[in-house]
Amino acid sequence: MKTKKRYEWFLFFSLLGIYTISFGQQKPVLIDKLATPETKALYANLHKLSKKHILFGHQHATQYGHGWMGDENRSDVQSVTGSHPAVIGVDFSGLSGMPDSLVKMNAALLKKNIEDTYNRGGVTTASWHFNNPAGGDFYWKDSSSVAAVPLLLPGASLHTKYIFILKNIAALANACVGKDGKKVPIIFRPYHELDGNWFWWGKKHCSAADIKALWQFTVRYLRDSLHVHNFIYAFSPDCTFNNVEEFTERYPGDEWVDMVGMDDYADFGRYGQYNLEAAYAKLKLISDFAVQHRKLAALTETGLESIPNSNWWTATLLNTLKMPKLRLCYVLVWRNDAHSPTHYYAPFPGQFSAPDFIRFYEDKFTLFENDLRKMYKP
């Protein structure tokens, strides 16, 4: 009897161990062991919500919109639905490459935007259209651009300049504090679309080893030297990959990334071309990779400029996001330019797709800011 009892207990704890391994490993873990409690809570809540929902995001949603700029507590999405997006995209482009007075002004505007989003209960993600430290803007120009990635690495000619730029980012991150006195968590998405060739950090302009080294240094310096503990680091290439090997060609490693995603306009109607099967295959690859590597996954950028398709939101975007076995925490569409009559990616009152967007908003699968509850609490 004793032998049988011992065997039963051994079997019980063995099965418990298998259960813990198979399910416990699916929970993602932040790469920053000193991450603030609010950052940990946001990360865990994004993971939890991604099981049954997806957060909707819009770039620069509350900074400006179609025909307006700088209005207090306004967004085109809110004007159509009554709620701001759940995720607000900002950009760190204004923190370098211009006079100090302008950098300070940009930092102050960013700080207010990020804090306001946090105080309302929303989520901030920051892209970085980083002007080339060797001269010029963020786009690659064959006639004038310099391949700057290797020049930013430790010991290279622009490394000191790069450190100064990172200090500006860290100063902003550490200064963003909500009404509760807590630092605001930010999903930081540097060097996005690094598999394309249109940015100076793109595939043709640096080796995979160099961009990985730059990413790793960036995270290490912000986290360990500048004590930024409210970042969630997101890796998001463009949609040029077809398999895991291509997706991870420039991936810096699991210890340097919290979230994986992609920017995909090409499969969602750009130039009238739709390939939703390809979009799903890539999203499934990203989602599976995230589960296997204990990361979050997202569709970090997408959209259809001018939204000429009246049911694009439900028939194209929502149907794709609802396809089987996808686990994505958010989707973000690009900005609505304040001055251009055609450069917009979210509807505004009277826009052709606004009725369908309301259906997208009302679907239980999608979450907007008004749907969020205590994202920064465990």
Side-chain angles (χ1 to χ4, degrees):
M1 287 294 291
K2 287 183 179 180
T3 303
K4 184 179 179 182
K5 282 283 187 184
R6 286 174 181 169
Y7 173 76
E8 288 173 349
W9 279 108
F10 172 77
L11 183 62
F12 172 77
F13 283 112
S14 296
L15 291 172
L16 182 63
I18 293 170
Y19 178 88
T20 302
I21 290 170
S22 61
F23 290 91
Q25 284 187 344
Q26 294 180 12
K27 184 178 180 181
V29 179
L30 285 164
I31 60 173
D32 186 354
K33 294 179 180 179
L34 299 178
T36 67
E38 292 70 32
T39 306
K40 291 177 181 177
L42 174 61
Y43 196 61
N45 286 327
L46 287 171
H47 175 251
K48 181 179 179 180
L49 289 172
S50 69
K51 296 176 183 179
K52 295 182 179 180
H53 302 282
I54 192 166
L55 278 66
F56 174 75
H58 185 207
Q59 185 72 14
H60 298 307
T62 52
Q63 290 175 263
Y64 53 79
H66 186 73
W68 63 272
M69 178 175 288
D71 294 4
E72 188 71 20
N73 195 30
R74 180 180 179 181
S75 70
D76 287 340
V77 169
Q78 184 190 52
S79 296
V80 172
T81 66
S83 174
H84 291 308
V87 179
I88 305 289
V90 300
D91 203 291
F92 288 165
S93 59
L95 300 180
S96 64
M98 53 191 67
D100 288 345
S101 59
L102 197 52
V103 168
K104 289 180 180 178
M105 184 186 74
N106 290 334
L109 292 172
L110 277 170
K111 181 176 183 292
K112 183 180 186 309
N113 186 288
I114 292 167
E115 290 175 347
D116 286 349
T117 298
Y118 176 80
N119 291 332
R120 293 192 311 267
V123 179
T124 293
T125 180
S127 54
W128 192 17
H129 287 85
F130 180 16
N131 287 337
N132 194 327
D137 61 22
F138 48 87
Y139 283 118
W140 179 265
K141 297 178 178 63
D142 287 334
S143 59
S144 58
S145 294
V146 174
V149 167
L151 305 180
L152 304 180
L153 295 171
S157 60
L158 294 177
H159 184 65
T160 300
K161 185 174 184 178
Y162 188 53
I163 284 176
F164 180 80
I165 293 168
L166 292 180
K167 286 180 177 178
N168 284 339
I169 290 176
L172 173 65
N174 285 321
C176 288
V177 176
K179 289 181 179 179
D180 58 4
K182 308 298 185 181
K183 290 184 181 178
V184 180
I186 299 168
I187 301 169
F188 182 37
R189 196 165 61 93
Y191 301 114
H192 69 298
E193 300 174 11
L194 73 177
D195 54 334
N197 301 311
W198 41 92
F199 298 138
W200 58 263
W201 57 84
K203 187 172 182 177
K204 283 186 178 181
H205 319 307
C206 62
S207 68
D210 281 345
I211 192 64
K212 289 179 185 180
L214 183 61
W215 180 291
Q216 291 165 5
F217 172 80
T218 302
V219 173
R220 185 188 303 113
Y221 192 70
L222 287 170
R223 182 190 62 194
D224 302 339
S225 298
L226 301 179
H227 310 295
V228 175
H229 299 301
N230 51 327
F231 273 179
I232 294 170
Y233 293 91
F235 171 82
S236 63
D238 199 64
C239 59
T240 62
F241 59 91
N242 295 296
N243 51 55
V244 173
E245 290 72 25
E246 291 175 354
F247 176 71
T248 58
E249 181 183 0
R250 294 179 173 244
Y251 182 68
D254 284 349
E255 64 270 40
W256 306 102
V257 173
D258 296 308
M259 179 185 293
V260 293
M262 73 168 175
D263 295 1
D264 189 353
Y265 299 90
D267 296 323
F268 285 93
R270 176 181 270 180
Y271 309 127
Q273 299 175 0
Y274 290 82
N275 193 343
L276 302 185
E277 289 184 5
Y280 170 60
K282 295 167 193 175
L283 289 171
K284 181 67 165 54
L285 185 155
I286 291 168
S287 178
D288 290 349
F289 182 91
V291 172
Q292 293 162 9
H293 292 256
R294 303 180 72 183
K295 309 297 176 188
L296 298 183
L299 179 49
T300 46
E301 277 186 41
T302 190
L304 180 63
E305 187 175 23
S306 300
I307 329 168
N309 182 341
S310 65
N311 64 347
W312 184 86
W313 297 101
T314 56
T316 298
L317 184 59
L318 187 60
N319 280 350
T320 303
L321 296 174
K322 281 186 167 183
M323 284 185 173
K325 297 182 180 180
L326 287 184
R327 189 162 176 174
L328 307 171
C329 61
Y330 78 85
V331 55
L332 180 139
V333 298
W334 201 237
R335 70 192 186 116
N336 287 7
D337 190 272
H339 307 293
S340 170
T342 58
H343 188 72
Y344 56 84
Y345 289 81
F348 44 87
Q351 198 274 330
F352 187 50
S353 73
D356 189 56
F357 187 68
I358 292 174
R359 290 188 285 272
F360 176 86
Y361 164 76
E362 291 174 341
D363 194 286
K364 292 181 179 179
F365 182 67
T366 61
L367 297 179
F368 286 63
E369 191 176 271
N370 286 356
D371 301 313
L372 302 183
R373 298 290 181 270
K374 298 181 179 180
M375 292 298 289
Y376 302 99
K377 300 291 184 182

